[in-house]
Amino acid sequence: MEKSKSPTYWNYLKVKELLSLQDGIPGTEVSTDELNFIVIHQVYELWFKLVIKDIRDIIDLFYSESVDEEFIPLTVRKIKRMVTIFKLASQHFELMEQMSPQDFIAFRGKLGTASRFQSYQLRIIEFLMGLAPSEMIKLGDATPMTHFQRNASKLDNGEEILDKIQQAINSKSLLDVIEDWLFRTPIDGSKPFENEDKITVQGFVNEYILNFNLEQDKLSQLLQNMNTGSPDNIKIRFEESKKSISDYLNAKDADEKERSRRLRIRAAILFIESYQNLPLMAWPQKLIDQLVELEESFIIFRSRHARMVERMIGRRIGTGGSSGVDYLESTTKYRIFKDIWGIRTILLQEDAIPPLRDKNFYSFVSS
Amino acid sequence: MEKSKSPTYWNYLKVKELLSLQDGIPGTEVSTDELNFIVIHQVYELWFKLVIKDIRDIIDLFYSESVDEEFIPLTVRKIKRMVTIFKLASQHFELMEQMSPQDFIAFRGKLGTASRFQSYQLRIIEFLMGLAPSEMIKLGDATPMTHFQRNASKLDNGEEILDKIQQAINSKSLLDVIEDWLFRTPIDGSKPFENEDKITVQGFVNEYILNFNLEQDKLSQLLQNMNTGSPDNIKIRFEESKKSISDYLNAKDADEKERSRRLRIRAAILFIESYQNLPLMAWPQKLIDQLVELEESFIIFRSRHARMVERMIGRRIGTGGSSGVDYLESTTKYRIFKDIWGIRTILLQEDAIPPLRDKNFYSFVSS
Amino acid sequence: MEKSKSPTYWNYLKVKELLSLQDGIPGTEVSTDELNFIVIHQVYELWFKLVIKDIRDIIDLFYSESVDEEFIPLTVRKIKRMVTIFKLASQHFELMEQMSPQDFIAFRGKLGTASRFQSYQLRIIEFLMGLAPSEMIKLGDATPMTHFQRNASKLDNGEEILDKIQQAINSKSLLDVIEDWLFRTPIDGSKPFENEDKITVQGFVNEYILNFNLEQDKLSQLLQNMNTGSPDNIKIRFEESKKSISDYLNAKDADEKERSRRLRIRAAILFIESYQNLPLMAWPQKLIDQLVELEESFIIFRSRHARMVERMIGRRIGTGGSSGVDYLESTTKYRIFKDIWGIRTILLQEDAIPPLRDKNFYSFVSS
Amino acid sequence: MEKSKSPTYWNYLKVKELLSLQDGIPGTEVSTDELNFIVIHQVYELWFKLVIKDIRDIIDLFYSESVDEEFIPLTVRKIKRMVTIFKLASQHFELMEQMSPQDFIAFRGKLGTASRFQSYQLRIIEFLMGLAPSEMIKLGDATPMTHFQRNASKLDNGEEILDKIQQAINSKSLLDVIEDWLFRTPIDGSKPFENEDKITVQGFVNEYILNFNLEQDKLSQLLQNMNTGSPDNIKIRFEESKKSISDYLNAKDADEKERSRRLRIRAAILFIESYQNLPLMAWPQKLIDQLVELEESFIIFRSRHARMVERMIGRRIGTGGSSGVDYLESTTKYRIFKDIWGIRTILLQEDAIPPLRDKNFYSFVSS
């Protein structure tokens, strides 16, 4: 009888090959704690491969003149999968923590200068998500990128890895395609490059600012009545806040040639968040919210990572010694979807939002 | 300049080789959902490898005439690591659930008859923990073992896998070495094979049963007074319970030639649980509790697995269709550390426990 | 100066009153372990109150001739909140497990016959979700309901609690309103009570069965070719499967006067699952999937509960002693959304699904 | 028939009273989202009550000339329970996040200036753990304490709450009793106030520094050979590191009258960590590790809190607007068990640790 044509579990998953990759440094014995260390990092790399594929899928789906409506739910699910992975990845540090510091010290010497810093998949994830190389915080005098560049020549497949990273930097990012899509979002029924679009969008923005200011004035008055501070100080604070929001929505911080694009993107986020109850807005709002959860889960992953390292190698106040921990901690300041976070600071309660001109535009055919 | 002798992250972890093992069936394209499927199972296999190494370490540590006291905390930590893995493994099913049933159906056909059932590492874990092949529930007419045996000839490395499993079956198990260690535990200061040990142990058991019965009588009286049922029925129920506990502690259910060993093991668990506050008993009790948590986390892993499969392939009441789900569910009835679970049913509150003869025996030198 | 009109954190949350409710049995001291026990159960009751309010909200939203499209995303979010609570509630058992069995025994006597069984909010959740009193498994000779009825007279507020439960039983349930909504779902553009609706629906069902059978025939042939068993047995098995699915979709198991309603509900689920990529189907499918996750998380909560109790009070094989654990375990068999689970067993891959007649019916106005 | 004397579930747990405390501002309607908000905070307060009781228990157990050995395992379990609560409390923020920012805005106005900042139980936890009021970071011009003081007069039970907080500040803290216990730990068999104790302790410290320096020299040489930087710079860096560690272990940073106490505490931690495999050291080391996990879980809780608030109210780069988030984030810098974290930075691998003089001192009587 011939061998079965049906794949087996272990051939399909290449279990034998997989389980042969945990030998560490050739010619040395791998203790159970070192196996723990190796397994954990390999698991992370497997998960990261999946994250990268999902980001690339979304970039491909969105990289067109118009995004098919049915892609939005699919994209939401893909981002949800990325969130699930970052949550698992955060909990996974508990497995590392089953090693005591002493267990780790017992084999730490074998690792030499190898470091997680060298996980190029994690760098690719950052770039594909939309972190700019210029935003990366330096460790000593080197960003992660210059670190890779310096080391590439010393490594067997250094050039290959540098190439992969460079491709990720050059590629459209998740941030890029999401902002392109936001830029194209109909605002009050108007699409970009339509006649009058700029007027419509500016009208929406102005009206929103008006309503926002009314709310601020009410709040200012309330706080003055409640004697929570000097009335003048309260007034000044609220006037500053009103100006800051007007500047933000009008994209005063953007280069002049970028300004109208930036204004339209912010207006689109504000529009989607404000009218999320409309049938046509429900999925876009869900997408925006999923992106917030994605970035949140990434930040949590980073700070959980810092905690694990601190637990393993300790911290002495005033020595600046554990620069590794502090560096990891500093990267929790990165924000990729800045305007999605920014718009959240100026949302209004439902009855203060300007009413919509053409509600039917955002409905279902059959409703 | 020569290449650095220090290993790099990617060489040490064999990242390149690792990331080349997710191609599935040769000559077919792997979708992101199929990659999800492959990655998840590979992650499980990596974790399982670590579990197996920890179990083997413990078996080696315990496989001697006397276990060094300092091994107990180490063993506790190793079991804690296994628990951590089973908890992560349970949560990991959420990642599988990021695929919808339809996503799965899209590539299910490629898998043919391959099945998780064929994860030989999971079988090895079960056998090394102490599950007897005879206790395994059949799926159709075959236990997992007969299933492996039938398929071995059809597979490339079938014989090799069968050998590994057979070795695990023949090996001392975690249950074996734990019970050997329990058997050697000093009870009321007496060790097995010492003169009078049987008398001492039987004395402890008898006294415990006496105190237990007193507690039962009090409870019986209380329930009769509270009119929670017919007094005669309550009395009968409590008499049955008293007899059942006496039979259990005297190991009446064991073969005659096994009985004294079984009695001593149960008495040891009872002794450790009862006097857990003594310095010398604190780690042994912690070990017992950790074994309970291990088995609990394994059962939770099994039932979480059933839930994931049910979510993916559904369930129709009355068809017996989803035999896979029902099979997985049925394995949640396995219990490996039966007597540790058993003794938990007869613990007494502190003031009802017989006082200890020689407390100092279980203290520290320097106290 | 007058007291501030602004509420304070502690007045708003009634912190003082809240923290005065953990004294247990009047006149007795509450140990830290007993406080642990009380706090845990109070936390559950607070979460349950929120679950009940969310279910009632959904029932109210859906209790009308037609459900506004914008309610679907809101409902999905409400069910997601319930899922979040059941997941937290499952993890919460870990806090209970920080008590050892001995810690629990130390105050168990004070509880007398009080039992979690008496959490009427949990019963209300079950009934509001759609579990019928007749489906509830008996503990001894009593269902949870008869247990409540027997005890009502003995309790201070027994009648009041019985009333609340009875109201929940009499109320429309989540299952009821979801099935009403499914019944009204347009299938191939046709709505119930429209002319020809029965013909359209039956046509969809017949065509689906046809395609399903073709797939089964292919699979049957494949397995015969692969020699996985006797060809005759394989054929018989697949013929039985085909008949069973046809009977199921035609609701042969339903009473004759219920049959056409049941058929239409099942067809609607099948329709939504099959064409989930259509803009108008994306939210309904999400709702269905969220209900699956809800029921899954409830089952996981139940089995996690059984694990905690088993860990606390142990288990002796062959005594049938721990009837509490076995009872909890048996309730994991409950399924409320039976047809949603049922339809999952017969989904087809995308290219095998019959093409849709009128795709535009399920699109957006502005697309 | 008389009413049963056995408590019922709902009377024992005061379910009726408990479920009457979620009405928020008198005379206003509570939406489901507001109920969500109230329930979450009440759950936190219930958990915090339990944490406070466990800390107080430990302080009481340790507040004596000598701590009974059997209290160490109990203390470990109590701290483990606190860790479990902080982990649950971190996950619990996910329930808050089931509200969207808009859901929150809908009732935010009702809260006025009420703020979580006012959870006095959380402040009490911080003080009882050992955070000094002087270490607390200011929000604006006020520490949390001055904030409470300013508001006390305006509140109904302000004085009462201030008293509770002041008591916590005045009480011995967890840090205090742990450091007292560490101070009394036998080092190389010597106890404080014994003759020669200072010499013995200083001898241990000196020998440890010697071995540490040898390890540093080896590492320095290795890095010089590997050309990872200028040899001179590497040398300078390692000499600085050696000096810094010697200064730290000799407590040069402490006031002169505090120095010998501080030196002995650090030496004790180092001793316990280094010889953790000795039977008598296993529980003390476990206690130290559990304190690390406690502080870690508290930090994770704080940063998870910041994430939730950021998700709810957003963040605009460059405005300094979301000062709430930044404040929460800044509190993740607090470290209570500074020397336990500090000693972790200077642990040596097993074969580099100075051998112990009297191993038997740390063994069991019966071994």
Side-chain angles (χ1 to χ4, degrees), chain C residues 1-4 6-26 30-50 53-54 57 74 77-78 80-81 84-85 88 91-92 94-95 98-100 103 107 110-121 148 151-158 160-161, chain D residues 1-4 6-26 30-50 53-54 57 74 77-78 80-81 84-85 88 91-92 94-95 98-100 103 107 110-121 148 151-158 160-161:
Chain C
M1 193 184 91
E2 259 211 350
K3 301 242 168 199
S4 160
S6 174
T8 58
Y9 175 89
W10 41 79
N11 290 346
Y12 176 69
L13 295 173
K14 304 200 169 59
V15 176
K16 195 178 176 179
E17 294 85 338
L18 180 73
L19 299 182
S20 73
L21 303 177
Q22 292 77 41
D23 290 339
I25 309 288
V30 168
S31 70
T32 309
D33 290 314
E34 190 177 353
L35 178 64
N36 189 6
F37 183 87
I38 292 171
V39 158
I40 285 169
H41 283 93
Q42 289 184 339
V43 167
Y44 279 122
E45 293 296 335
L46 287 171
W47 284 336
F48 290 162
K49 179 171 179 174
L50 184 55
K53 190 148 166 56
D54 265 329
D57 283 354
L74 178 60
R77 283 173 48 215
K78 283 181 170 292
K80 180 78 194 312
R81 175 153 56 196
T84 304
I85 289 174
L88 283 166
Q91 295 167 327
H92 201 217
E94 268 193 38
L95 183 54
Q98 301 307 309
M99 283 199 307
S100 70
D103 296 334
F107 66 89
K110 291 168 73 174
L111 306 179
T113 56
S115 136
R116 184 116 189 221
F117 210 54
Q118 298 168 339
S119 167
Y120 64 87
Q121 289 201 123
F148 271 111
N151 284 283
S153 60
K154 297 196 235 157
L155 300 165
D156 294 338
N157 48 355
E160 189 186 327
I161 289 169
Chain D
M1 194 184 92
E2 259 210 352
K3 301 242 168 201
S4 159
S6 173
T8 58
Y9 175 90
W10 41 81
N11 290 346
Y12 176 70
L13 295 173
K14 304 201 170 59
V15 175
K16 195 178 174 177
E17 295 85 338
L18 179 73
L19 299 182
S20 73
L21 304 177
Q22 292 78 40
D23 289 339
I25 309 288
V30 169
S31 70
T32 309
D33 290 315
E34 190 176 354
L35 178 63
N36 189 7
F37 184 86
I38 293 170
V39 158
I40 285 169
H41 284 92
Q42 289 184 339
V43 167
Y44 278 123
E45 293 297 335
L46 288 171
W47 284 335
F48 290 163
K49 178 170 180 175
L50 184 55
K53 190 147 165 58
D54 265 329
D57 283 354
L74 178 60
R77 284 172 49 214
K78 283 181 171 292
K80 180 78 195 311
R81 174 153 57 198
T84 305
I85 288 174
L88 283 166
Q91 295 167 327
H92 201 216
E94 268 193 38
L95 183 54
Q98 300 308 307
M99 283 198 309
S100 71
D103 295 333
F107 65 89
K110 292 168 73 173
L111 306 179
T113 55
S115 136
R116 183 116 189 221
F117 210 54
Q118 299 167 339
S119 168
Y120 65 86
Q121 288 202 120
F148 271 111
N151 284 281
S153 60
K154 297 195 233 156
L155 299 166
D156 295 337
N157 48 356
E160 188 187 326
I161 288 168

Side-chain angles (χ1 to χ4, degrees), chain D residues 7 34 266 287 347 351 358:
Chain D
E34 190 176 354
R266 289 179 187 167
L287 174 53
L347 297 179
D351 55 13
D358 181 9

